[in-house]
Amino acid sequence: MQRPILVIDDDPTILATVAEALDLEGFPVVTATNGAEGLEVMDRGPKRPALVLLDMRMPVLDGWEFMRAVRERGLSISVIVMTAAADARRWAREIDAHGVLAKPFELDELMAQVQRLLPTAPPCAET
Amino acid sequence: MSGVDQLQYLSWFVYLLVFALVLLRTIGRPTPAHIDMTLFFGALALIVVLGLAGRLGLRLPGPVTDDVVAIAALALGYLLLRVVADFSRVSAFVMRAVEIGMLVSIVALVITPAPLPTPTAMVVVAYLVVVLGFDGFAFARQAARSRGGTRRRMQAAAVASVLVAVVLVIAGVQLAVPQFSPALQDLSAALALASGIGYYIGFAPPTWLRRAWQEPEVRAFLSRAVHLAGLADTRDIVEELERASADAFGAPAARIALWDADKNCLLVDGSPLPATLASAWSRQRPSLMSLDLAKVENEQTGSFGVHDASAALSAPITAYARRIGLLIAFAPRSPVFANSDLELVQLLADQTAVILESKKLIDQAAEVRAREEATRLKDDFLSSAAHDLKTPLTGIITQAQVLQRRAERDPEAPPDRVGLNRLVEQSHRLNKLVLELLDVSRLEHGSLVGDCELMDLGLLFRVVAQQERSRWKRVEFHASESVVAPVDPPRFEQVVTNLVENALKYSPAQATVRVELWRDGNEARLSVLDEGIGVPAEDQPRVFERFHRGKNVDDRHFAGMGLGLYIARGIVEQHGGRIWVESTPGAGSTFHVAIPASISHVEEPVQRVS
């Protein structure tokens, strides 16, 4: 089984729809509603995620704190920042993200970025 | 030349000097006081000149010279009394008595062949001594009432007048007991010189002495004025400057008129300055005006607030060639020493200019800061509003495109109910945010709260709590009695919702939020207690402001427009109520609402729920 994509967002609707969209394309997905839950998945999940789709402003542990904790663990992982803030690009640079999705984004854009970062992307689920 | 001669020449020189200085001043500013002083010192100068002419051997016809000297000497007391009458009230009786005494003495002197019989001479001397003594006393009394330079000058004039009286007494003694004459010659000459110096100090002091006398007054004024620019209200500053000026000046009152460029006139406390008082403004230099107060008060409606003043000294208040206004000090009588008083008024006006100018700069700086703060809040608000609107929009777009893809791939598949519900829910959420923004705009136009009806607030709360039950699991409600109040139901629900949502948002995940409802006298009271992060003391008065969020609210953790409490306050206030917060940072907050409750318990509440 391939490594999942971890989606972290405090908005339950966005979390559910993004997960559903990735699932529709055949990507395995795990979700978390904040950075702390995200770390939990990184630490204890059955498989280490291949990619993180990361919201920045979240309660408990935000995007910056999550990334700091990931680096402290010596883990290296591809990250795409998803945020509605005007500072999206600056924040993405701050945490050395590999991609940025400014909310609201198109599904095609999401898929394009995911497939760019996961070269071993599965073929379309339908085939 | 003997020592006595030297003393005499010296005192003559001093008298002539004082006369010259006083004459020059009178030519520059012919006030009644200046003219009277000139007459007095003119009489003295005449005596000196004739004495000098005698010494130099210019023999004028003897009897005429003696008569002129005697008449001038006799006039001294009366002329000095005229000076006294310029700054204090001298009764008409005294004035007439002195005039008659002078005339009688002069007539007696002219018709009696020289030498004057001793008894007559003694009466004439006694008359002069009494009048000069009275003048000296009047100067001393005025000195006690004055301050600063005027006080010192009055004291000097008093001493000088008394000394002249003593010199006359000595002259009388010399007449009566000729054998004492040589012994008293020295004393008389010394006293005459001392009196000359006294008059010099009193009536024509050098500039450095005048400055030194003014210094304590100016210093006292400055030490009071130095903190004034920090006062919030310019009116308070002006009033305090007026008081300080009046005190420094020893005047009963002082007023500051400020130039109003829009109305194109000088305003004192909001009303126009009477034109008669504005001469210093048009001339832009210190001016002295004699006042007819009745006329001044007639020029404007209402009283000018100054009574018992017959003169006004005013000086323009100017900073960097910018004309700010006019400082006017009122004096009960025309000032004797107008020049130094005007100098002082101009000094105070200059200091006033500095203070008012500082105040203006402070205000301008505060205005700039407030504008910057408003701009910053607006920018923050726009980015915050955009963020909040984008969140449901992201859900809607993503969900809609997921549904689209599903439909494209399997047109026969049954509709995805969960996805459709999400779409509807997120659309509502978006709509709610848009409405909130509109509420702010309506609130600011005062049209947010509509018609009020009597409602049972407990019932109203339970209905809202029922609608929101999925998210309000941790909300406890306590009401010991039924509380009925006239409210606009949907708006009051909004207050409750905003306060509860706010409490939930800033509380730890498992903490409860407690809502209490009770009646306190004529008020319906609602409070919402949480165990959240709290509001720091410095933020407490500002949490209800538009766009404001607490210092301890990390933007990264808590997205939000910062409008909930602002809208809540607006609604409560439009219900005629109050809203406030009590909080201990780290321990929690209690938001209180008090609105007027219905007085009547009999009336059945409308049990309508939107």
Side-chain angles (χ1 to χ4, degrees):
Chain A
M1 187 186 161
Q2 63 179 130
R3 287 158 64 195
I5 297 174
L6 169 60
V7 185
I8 311 179
D9 198 311
D10 62 327
D11 186 90
T13 309
I14 295 176
L15 193 61
T17 51
V18 170
E20 195 180 339
L22 291 169
D23 180 64
L24 194 64
E25 301 301 324
F27 293 102
V29 181
V30 280
T31 61
T33 62
N34 60 54
E37 284 181 16
L39 276 182
E40 192 88 356
V41 172
M42 297 285 283
D43 290 343
R44 308 224 174 94
K47 279 200 166 194
R48 194 150 67 81
L51 170 71
V52 180
L53 293 180
L54 181 67
D55 186 16
M56 293 304 284
R57 283 210 287 218
M58 292 179 292
V60 190
L61 202 69
D62 64 29
W64 291 268
E65 291 160 340
F66 171 80
M67 285 308 291
R68 197 175 309 127
V70 166
R71 294 222 171 81
E72 275 166 11
R73 284 164 168 73
L75 303 173
S76 122
I77 192 165
S78 298
V79 176
I80 297 172
V81 164
M82 305 186 291
T83 179
D87 294 328
R89 287 187 184 282
R90 187 164 59 80
W91 289 358
R93 272 200 304 278
E94 273 173 24
I95 60 162
D96 287 330
H98 302 82
V100 56
L101 289 166
K103 292 176 182 173
F105 46 80
E106 295 290 319
L107 218 46
D108 287 345
E109 175 66 16
L110 170 70
M111 292 309 162
Q113 292 215 21
V114 169
Q115 273 158 8
R116 177 170 62 83
L117 290 169
L118 294 180
T120 56
C124 191
E126 262 186 346
T127 54
Chain B
M1 207 194 295
S2 72
V4 177
D5 286 344
Q6 285 177 0
L7 275 181
Q8 195 156 36
Y9 280 121
L10 199 54
S11 50
W12 283 354
F13 168 75
V14 173
Y15 282 125
L16 289 177
L17 175 69
V18 176
F19 171 66
L21 292 172
V22 170
L23 180 67
L24 281 177
R25 198 171 57 200
T26 306
I27 293 168
R29 197 184 296 281
T31 66
H34 284 168
I35 293 169
D36 288 336
M37 279 180 226
T38 312
L39 289 174
F40 173 73
F41 287 105
L44 272 173
L46 186 62
I47 297 168
V48 168
V49 167
L50 290 174
L52 207 57
R55 283 290 176 90
L56 296 176
L58 298 172
R59 265 271 152 239
L60 296 164
V64 176
T65 311
D66 289 347
D67 282 353
V68 170
V69 169
I71 290 170
L74 276 168
L76 284 181
Y78 167 72
L79 292 175
L80 197 56
L81 187 66
R82 283 180 59 103
V83 175
V84 168
D86 287 327
F87 62 81
S88 71
R89 193 165 286 133
V90 174
S91 74
F93 169 75
V94 172
M95 209 67 186
R96 292 294 93 74
V98 171
E99 282 166 3
I100 290 166
M102 176 179 68
L103 289 175
V104 169
S105 308
I106 291 172
V107 169
L109 207 82
V110 174
I111 60 169
T112 319
L116 214 57
T118 307
T120 315
M122 293 302 281
V123 169
V124 170
V125 167
Y127 158 77
L128 259 185
V129 167
V130 167
V131 176
L132 284 170
F134 178 86
D135 294 339
F137 171 72
F139 281 120
R141 197 180 49 184
Q142 188 64 21
R145 289 179 188 158
S146 311
R147 60 178 64 219
T150 304
R151 184 191 189 100
R152 305 292 169 80
R153 294 174 68 172
M154 286 289 178
Q155 284 169 342
V159 169
S161 303
V162 170
L163 288 178
V164 170
V166 172
V167 169
L168 284 169
V169 170
I170 292 172
V173 171
Q174 285 171 326
L175 270 179
V177 197
Q179 60 268 37
F180 285 169
S181 194
L184 289 172
Q185 198 75 33
D186 293 358
L187 179 61
S188 178
L191 290 178
L193 177 59
S195 121
I197 292 171
Y199 280 132
Y200 171 67
I201 291 174
F203 290 100
T207 311
W208 61 266
L209 198 55
R210 288 209 309 267
R211 295 267 155 81
W213 284 333
Q214 277 171 358
E215 204 243 24
E217 264 61 45
V218 174
R219 190 179 289 272
F221 175 86
L222 284 182
S223 69
R224 271 170 80 173
V226 72
H227 305 294
L228 289 181
L231 289 184
D233 193 347
T234 306
R235 265 180 72 139
D236 291 343
I237 297 176
V238 166
E239 276 176 23
E240 187 54 31
L241 283 171
E242 287 175 344
R243 272 194 291 276
S245 303
D247 288 353
F249 194 67
R255 291 281 178 272
I256 289 173
L258 294 176
W259 178 251
D260 187 318
D262 297 335
K263 295 186 183 154
N264 207 29
C265 69
L266 284 163
L267 298 179
V268 176
D269 212 4
S271 43
L273 182 76
T276 44
L277 289 174
S279 65
W281 175 260
S282 40
R283 295 159 63 195
Q284 282 296 301
R285 55 194 179 89
S287 305
L288 169 69
M289 291 151 288
S290 316
L291 291 187
D292 181 351
L293 263 191
K295 196 176 154 220
V296 170
E297 297 205 353
N298 277 343
E299 274 186 46
Q300 63 172 37
T301 51
S303 163
F304 194 61
V306 177
H307 306 284
D308 193 29
S310 61
L313 296 113
S314 63
I317 303 170
T318 309
Y320 315 115
R322 203 172 64 81
R323 298 173 176 197
I324 299 175
L326 205 55
L327 173 66
I328 309 159
F330 292 92
R333 315 214 145 255
S334 186
V336 202
F337 309 122
N339 280 0
S340 53
D341 286 349
L342 286 174
E343 230 173 70
L344 180 59
V345 170
Q346 185 61 65
L347 254 169
L348 299 182
D350 291 346
Q351 298 308 321
T352 299
V354 172
I355 287 148
L356 291 177
E357 197 65 9
S358 315
K359 168 66 180 163
K360 199 181 150 207
L361 292 177
I362 290 171
D363 283 354
Q364 278 172 352
E367 223 169 83
V368 169
R369 273 200 304 277
R371 260 205 307 274
E372 282 170 355
E373 173 74 0
T375 310
R376 193 185 64 75
L377 283 173
K378 210 140 216 162
D379 288 349
D380 286 359
F381 168 71
L382 280 176
S383 76
S384 199
H387 180 274
D388 280 27
L389 293 172
K390 281 175 185 173
T391 301
L393 205 52
T394 306
I396 291 169
I397 292 178
T398 314
Q399 185 63 61
Q401 289 183 344
V402 165
L403 289 176
Q404 197 179 36
R405 285 192 178 198
R406 274 196 203 289
E408 277 165 8
R409 287 175 193 174
D410 183 5
E412 304 306 319
D416 172 3
R417 287 187 187 282
V418 177
L420 287 172
N421 285 347
R422 260 191 220 129
L423 268 187
V424 172
E425 190 185 287
Q426 292 304 304
S427 306
H428 284 157
R429 186 173 157 197
L430 189 58
N431 187 40
K432 209 175 125 186
L433 289 172
V434 171
L435 290 178
E436 199 173 74
L437 285 173
L438 289 177
D439 281 351
V440 169
S441 145
R442 281 151 102 186
L443 187 62
E444 280 162 10
H445 289 100
S447 59
L448 184 55
V449 173
D451 293 337
C452 290
E453 45 193 290
L454 280 180
M455 292 291 299
D456 181 327
L457 300 185
L459 185 69
L460 186 140
F461 178 83
R462 283 192 202 90
V463 172
V464 180
Q466 179 65 20
Q467 286 165 356
E468 303 287 347
R469 61 187 177 279
S470 57
R471 292 183 304 118
W472 287 21
K473 288 187 191 98
R474 296 180 284 118
V475 179
E476 292 173 3
F477 178 62
H478 300 266
S480 52
E481 56 190 323
S482 137
V483 179
V484 175
V487 294
D488 176 352
R491 291 308 174 197
F492 196 75
E493 278 172 23
Q494 205 175 347
V495 172
V496 173
T497 311
N498 285 359
L499 291 180
V500 171
E501 297 283 350
N502 195 64
L504 288 170
K505 186 170 169 182
Y506 294 114
S507 294
Q510 295 313 314
T512 54
V513 169
R514 188 180 162 92
V515 179
E516 291 174 0
L517 181 69
W518 75 101
R519 202 188 152 101
D520 181 15
N522 286 334
E523 280 183 332
R525 294 287 308 274
L526 176 90
S527 57
V528 179
L529 295 79
D530 68 54
E531 295 162 11
I533 59 174
V535 185
E538 70 265 27
D539 281 320
Q540 286 179 15
R542 299 192 62 198
V543 290
F544 299 103
E545 284 175 18
R546 188 168 120 171
F547 315 142
H548 185 81
R549 303 179 75 194
K551 292 258 186 300
N552 59 340
V553 176
D554 184 347
D555 274 359
R556 294 169 173 184
H557 280 140
F558 301 102
M561 287 202 245
L563 290 177
L565 292 177
Y566 174 69
I567 293 171
R569 181 184 69 174
I571 294 172
V572 169
E573 285 179 352
Q574 285 183 19
H575 276 87
R578 298 167 289 136
I579 188 167
W580 69 100
V581 64
E582 286 168 2
S583 180
T584 311
S589 310
T590 305
F591 282 83
H592 296 273
V593 173
I595 57 167
S598 59
I599 312 297
S600 156
H601 289 278
V602 186
E603 209 174 330
E604 196 59 28
V606 180
Q607 303 225 330
R608 194 206 69 146
V609 179
S610 63

